[in-house]
């Protein structure tokens, strides 16, 4: 185990309080590091792509478009989140398509595994409010989901309970003088797209989401609606709130939501259940996801800095695995790519 000096705790500075930063900070603190977390925003989640996330813990569904290593490295994510934050729901994932697109269900099934093929009766058992609306689908029983905003707050509180320090509204550049005086043994940088000057190939992937309130619909699990252009997911949260997302646009534009994206997301919700036509639009959100060319999150090292980045659409799914990898490097038990 690497140590600052004989018998001393490693002092680690973590930059960025998104899902990668908070997960890394908690993992390091649990292994005995003295962790300080710096976040440039004044409030938790402000400007973070993970604040806009669906919070789906769906390793088997993601296999439809992700390489095998994403599934391999995320199989324990549901257990990790359940052991660290409250409110993890383990009701699986339901994949559906309107009748005209039912062929997409077979295509999705060919690219995935660990699902049950379900008919209209089984769909009604799983989601009574969808009774009579869909003829077939796929049910992935081992998956789960979490409310990202509650989860990020819970990780912050856990870090503080472990003796860590959280400083919001921190400068983006130099370490504050009162912290720099004592020095740090390692820096773990989890600043997402802000780290592009240091990370070759890192790009921004625009994502848009809606938050709807619909008292007339109850769902017990995320539903993925297959779409000819993009799959849309509807994720239930407390108080009849539903997160509907998310677009994936190769763009660095962080401006407001586009009309086309809003129409696509709202249409998917309406196709799932017409009661969404009366839903209140509580929030629209736009975030820039950091992504590498292969869309696989990576841990890399430059000098004394360990970068955890490129989370793409796998932030909640892969952050426990990548945080563990970063901690292994910090404590000298593993190496990473330069």
């Amino acid at each position: 185990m690497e140590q600052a000096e004989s018998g001393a705790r490693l002092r680690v500075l973590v930059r960025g309080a998104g899902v990668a930063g908070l997960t890394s900070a908690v993992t390091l603190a649990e292994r005995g590091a003295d962790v300080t977390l710096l976040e440039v925003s004044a409030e938790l989640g402000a400007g973070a792509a993970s604040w806009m996330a669906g919070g789906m813990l769906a390793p088997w569904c993601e296999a439809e478009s992700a390489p095998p290593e994403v599934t391999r490295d995320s199989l324990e994510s549901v257990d990790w989140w359940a052991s660290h934050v409250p409110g993890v729901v383990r009701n699986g994932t339901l994949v559906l398509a309107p009748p005209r697109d039912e062929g997409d269900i077979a295509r999705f099934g060919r690219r995935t595994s660990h699902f049950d093929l379900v008919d209209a009766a089984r769909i009604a058992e799983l989601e009574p409010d969808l009774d009579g609306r869909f003829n077939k689908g796929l049910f992935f029983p081992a998956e789960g989901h979490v409310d990202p905003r509650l989860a990020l707050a819970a990780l912050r509180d856990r870090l503080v309970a472990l003796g860590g320090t959280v400083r919001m509204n921190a400068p983006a550049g130099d370490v504050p003088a009162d912290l720099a005086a004592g020095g740090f043994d390692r820096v773990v940088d989890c600043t997402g797209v802000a780290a592009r000057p240091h990370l070759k190939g890192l790009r921004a992937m625009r994502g848009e989401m809606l938050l709807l309130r619909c008292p007339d619909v109850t769902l017990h699990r995320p539903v993925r609606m297959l779409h000819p252009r993009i799959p849309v997911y509807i994720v239930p949260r407390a108080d009849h709130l539903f997160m509907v997302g998310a677009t994936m646009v190769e763009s660095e534009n962080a401006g407001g939501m586009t009309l086309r994206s809003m129409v696509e997301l709202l249409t998917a919700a309406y196709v799932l259940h017409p009661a969404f036509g009366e839903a209140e639009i509580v929030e629209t959100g736009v975030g820039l996801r950091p992504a590498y060319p292969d869309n696989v999150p990576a841990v890399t090292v430059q000098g004394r800095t360990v970068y955890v980045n490129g989370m793409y659409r796998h932030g909640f799914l892969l952050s426990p695995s990548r945080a563990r990898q970063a901690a292994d490097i910090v404590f000298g038990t593993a190496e990473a790519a330069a």
Side-chain angles (χ1 to χ4, degrees):
M1 178 185 297
E2 182 178 324
Q3 293 181 330
E5 57 185 61
S6 180
R9 295 172 66 194
L10 277 172
R11 297 192 70 220
V12 183
L13 176 68
V14 178
R15 286 191 173 276
V19 66
L22 282 162
T23 305
S24 296
V26 167
T27 300
L28 287 161
E30 288 177 337
R31 291 176 59 167
D34 180 2
V35 178
T36 297
L37 176 64
L38 296 187
E39 167 57 44
V40 297
S41 300
E43 296 181 1
L44 187 68
S50 46
W51 195 251
M52 306 294 176
M56 294 180 297
L57 307 175
W60 304 113
C61 278
E62 285 301 312
E64 184 268 340
S65 58
E69 67 186 275
V70 170
T71 298
R72 179 198 69 204
D73 293 347
S74 62
L75 292 180
E76 298 178 1
S77 62
V78 180
D79 288 339
W80 191 93
W81 284 105
S83 68
H84 284 80
V85 305
V88 174
V89 181
R90 298 172 179 257
N91 287 342
T93 304
L94 188 59
V95 177
L96 300 173
R100 68 178 184 275
D101 296 322
E102 284 182 355
D104 288 336
I105 292 176
R107 177 193 57 79
F108 197 96
R110 287 193 297 270
R111 298 181 178 183
T112 56
S113 63
H114 293 73
F115 62 81
D116 301 324
L117 183 63
V118 292
D119 60 11
R122 180 62 174 143
I123 293 170
E125 287 181 17
L126 292 167
E127 297 293 354
D129 279 8
L130 302 183
D131 187 9
R133 299 200 50 76
F134 298 92
N135 299 318
K136 63 176 66 173
L138 306 175
F139 176 50
F140 294 77
E143 298 186 337
H145 69 283
V146 65
D147 185 327
R149 300 177 182 189
L150 297 179
L152 294 181
L155 286 184
R156 175 199 57 201
D157 294 346
R158 185 175 180 89
L159 175 61
V160 172
L162 290 166
T165 299
V166 178
R167 182 170 296 191
M168 308 299 293
N169 208 23
D174 295 335
V175 178
D178 61 318
L179 295 177
F184 290 93
D185 301 297
R186 283 280 198 168
V187 175
V188 177
D189 189 296
C190 307
T191 54
V193 295
R196 280 178 295 178
H198 307 286
L199 298 174
K200 183 179 179 180
L202 190 69
R203 73 190 195 283
M205 174 71 75
R206 176 183 168 97
E208 298 150 305
M209 56 77 75
L210 297 170
L211 197 61
L212 308 179
R213 177 173 285 109
C214 187
D216 296 325
V217 177
T218 297
L219 295 177
H220 302 89
R221 57 190 52 79
V223 176
R224 294 193 181 216
M225 286 288 293
L226 301 185
H227 183 281
R229 194 172 76 88
I230 56 167
V232 175
Y233 43 83
I234 298 94
V235 186
R237 295 185 182 169
D239 301 322
H240 291 281
L241 285 173
F242 298 86
M243 183 275 188
V244 184
T247 61
M248 292 182 292
V249 182
E250 293 281 357
S251 172
E252 298 188 7
N253 176 16
M257 193 172 196
T258 65
L259 184 146
R260 182 165 99 164
S261 296
M262 182 173 287
V263 168
E264 288 181 340
L265 297 180
L266 289 175
T267 298
Y270 184 79
V271 169
L272 181 66
H273 198 293
F276 278 112
E278 302 302 319
E280 174 192 357
I281 300 176
V282 176
E283 180 182 327
T284 66
V286 175
L288 296 180
R289 305 182 183 102
Y292 286 114
D294 61 359
N295 294 331
V296 177
V299 178
T300 57
V301 177
Q302 295 180 24
R304 303 294 291 176
T305 300
V306 180
Y307 290 91
V308 182
N309 215 312
M311 302 311 287
Y312 185 52
R313 53 184 283 168
H314 308 307
F316 281 82
L317 192 60
L318 277 181
S319 55
S321 169
R322 295 303 184 259
R324 182 170 60 250
Q325 185 180 352
D328 286 344
I329 295 166
V330 167
F331 281 94
T333 60
E335 298 296 331

